[in-house]
Amino acid sequence: MSDLWRGTVATRVRVASGLVLFVYALTHFLNIGLGLISPTLMDTAQDWRQVVTRSLLGSALLYGAFAAHMILAIAKLITRGTLRMPLWEATQNVFGIVIPILLVAHLIHTRTAHEIFDVNDEMSYIMLLIYDSWDGWKQSALLLVVWIHGCIGMHFWLRGQLWWRKLQPLLIAGAVLVPASALAGFLVEGRRVTAAFADPDQQEDLIELYNFPSSETFRDLIDITEQIRWAIGFILVLGAVIYAIRYFRLRKRSVQITYVGGPATTAPKGLTLLEMSRLRGIPHASLCGGRGRCTTCRVVIESGADLLDPPSAAETASLAAVNAGPGTRLACQIKPTHPMKVFRVYMPDGKRKSRGHASQGEEKELAVL
């Protein structure tokens, strides 16, 4: 199995659903950017996109990916033993929470308005609706948040690939140009359609073209938006409560971990070894962020290995891919419940520790950064 698809079923579903959402966001933002060239071209591209995204299969794939990605992300946060994490991971998680809160208004005033109230939700319609308003600023922020969240996910999924590193200058340029062109397209087309709507002769034509919602329809759309936001808020609060309960329960019990070369520390039971390292500020390499895809967090268990749960199929596959010897485990997968002594194979700078060990296995030079 490719190292890109290692990990648990949940991890692989998260990656696959994230790819679906990233492709959708990329094509959507490029579509908005066409407003810089021509409103006709922008609307034509949207019509072609919606042939896929608004088909039965496309809708099931898109909304299924969104639901799966959000549910798995919340579940991952709830089951964490500690909220200590690298800055990039924290940023991605915070943005992931913000996205559905900001996104719901956009979805309700476009897809829902179209399906229920037969609104013609072309790009120019939504731009007319939010241009030069507080909602316009919020949707612009949403665009940036979605894009940054997606780019972080793509980078930390693919950064171990040689071709990705070689293409980074071009990819960085593209990562800047895509949201820049989308925001510029929004400004240009928003200014044009707002000016046209201000002309009494064109206003009636636009109202008819878009089947522009009445005040009563807008109130209904706003009510639906608020109800869904309350539901999202309830889910997030419930997740926070579950995490808090687990947090305080775990801290009533502790286990001693001794790292070869130091230090020795105690940490709450129920955490993975990688989470214990992070909680106590102990350097521990983890290229994939603790998702079980890479093997840079692996350790050799010098004592206490027989008291661990056996490795899962995903962990076994990852260890087999690097020919890991007996006693080698992934720190992001094991949850120590008894005192252990462990040897970290890699340090956070990606280098092998100097001490030899018979069960470290065999490695190729990959220049993992």
Side-chain angles (χ1 to χ4, degrees):
M1 181 187 296
S2 166
D3 57 340
L4 295 178
W5 296 103
R6 288 187 199 143
T8 62
V9 172
T11 297
R12 295 199 292 271
V13 171
R14 244 183 116 183
V15 170
S17 60
L19 285 173
V20 171
L21 297 174
F22 185 84
V23 170
Y24 175 81
L26 174 61
T27 55
H28 186 53
F29 297 159
L30 291 174
N31 195 167
I32 299 172
L34 292 175
L36 281 168
I37 303 172
S38 161
T40 303
L41 181 61
M42 183 178 66
D43 289 338
T44 301
Q46 183 185 23
D47 292 340
W48 278 104
R49 283 179 51 251
Q50 288 181 348
V51 169
V52 176
T53 61
R54 293 197 174 175
S55 67
L56 182 61
L57 180 60
S59 296
L61 179 63
L62 181 60
Y63 290 105
F66 181 80
H69 204 68
M70 185 173 71
I71 291 170
L72 290 173
I74 293 174
K76 176 73 174 177
L77 281 173
I78 291 174
T79 55
R80 290 182 71 99
T82 174
L83 292 179
R84 282 181 176 266
M85 63 188 82
L87 179 60
W88 68 266
E89 191 176 354
T91 302
Q92 190 182 33
N93 283 321
V94 170
F95 281 9
I97 292 171
V98 169
I99 287 170
I101 297 172
L102 292 176
L103 182 62
V104 62
H106 181 72
L107 289 176
I108 296 303
H109 284 80
T110 53
R111 181 72 182 265
T112 303
H114 172 73
E115 299 291 348
I116 298 178
F117 301 105
D118 199 30
V119 172
N120 180 9
D121 61 328
E122 290 184 347
M123 289 284 189
S124 49
Y125 157 75
I126 194 66
M127 293 174 182
L128 172 62
L129 208 59
I130 67 175
Y131 180 75
D132 197 22
S133 70
W134 175 237
D135 288 313
W137 285 103
K138 287 194 292 186
Q139 292 304 303
S140 298
L142 172 63
L143 185 151
L144 293 174
V145 167
V146 167
W147 187 245
I148 293 171
H149 176 84
C151 287
I152 290 174
M154 290 293 289
H155 176 67
F156 283 94
W157 181 50
L158 295 170
R159 66 175 176 169
Q161 305 299 306
L162 180 60
W163 62 268
W164 178 265
R165 297 198 298 274
K166 287 182 177 180
L167 290 176
Q168 272 192 4
L170 290 175
L171 293 168
I172 291 171
V176 173
L177 289 174
V178 168
S181 65
L183 291 173
F186 167 62
L187 290 173
V188 170
E189 179 60 13
R191 188 182 299 120
R192 183 198 68 80
V193 73
T194 301
F197 197 77
D199 183 346
D201 294 333
Q202 297 185 65
Q203 187 176 103
E204 290 300 323
D205 292 337
L206 289 173
I207 289 175
E208 183 178 354
L209 172 65
Y210 301 136
N211 189 24
F212 208 79
S214 63
S215 298
E216 191 175 295
T217 299
F218 272 125
R219 281 196 296 271
D220 290 340
L221 292 172
I222 291 170
D223 287 343
I224 296 172
T225 301
E226 291 304 314
Q227 289 169 11
I228 295 177
R229 278 183 175 159
W230 277 108
I232 293 173
F234 174 77
I235 292 171
L236 293 176
V237 170
L238 179 62
V241 170
I242 294 173
Y243 176 82
I245 293 172
R246 290 186 69 256
Y247 180 89
F248 289 111
R249 285 183 62 189
L250 289 173
R251 268 138 191 80
K252 292 181 179 179
R253 303 170 297 161
S254 62
V255 62
Q256 184 175 32
I257 305 295
T258 302
Y259 296 84
V260 173
T265 188
T266 57
K269 293 181 180 179
L271 279 65
T272 66
L273 179 59
L274 180 62
E275 289 175 334
M276 291 178 177
S277 298
R278 288 175 172 177
L279 181 65
R280 299 306 183 211
I282 297 169
H284 207 138
S286 177
L287 186 65
C288 72
R291 291 168 169 81
R293 291 199 302 261
C294 71
T295 60
T296 54
C297 72
R298 70 184 184 273
V299 293
V300 177
I301 312 296
E302 302 212 338
S303 65
D306 55 322
L307 299 174
L308 289 170
D309 290 332
S312 64
E315 184 182 359
T316 300
S318 294
L319 292 171
V322 294
N323 298 318
T328 304
R329 299 293 300 269
L330 298 185
C332 67
Q333 300 298 307
I334 59 174
K335 294 184 176 182
T337 56
H338 295 80
M340 303 178 62
K341 185 176 183 181
V342 301
F343 171 71
R344 290 161 289 170
V345 176
Y346 283 95
M347 294 300 289
D349 58 6
K351 297 178 180 177
R352 289 286 289 270
K353 295 195 74 173
S354 59
R355 199 195 81 178
H357 198 291
S359 59
Q360 284 178 0
E362 186 179 49
E363 291 287 335
K364 293 182 179 179
E365 292 296 329
L366 296 177
V368 177
L369 304 178

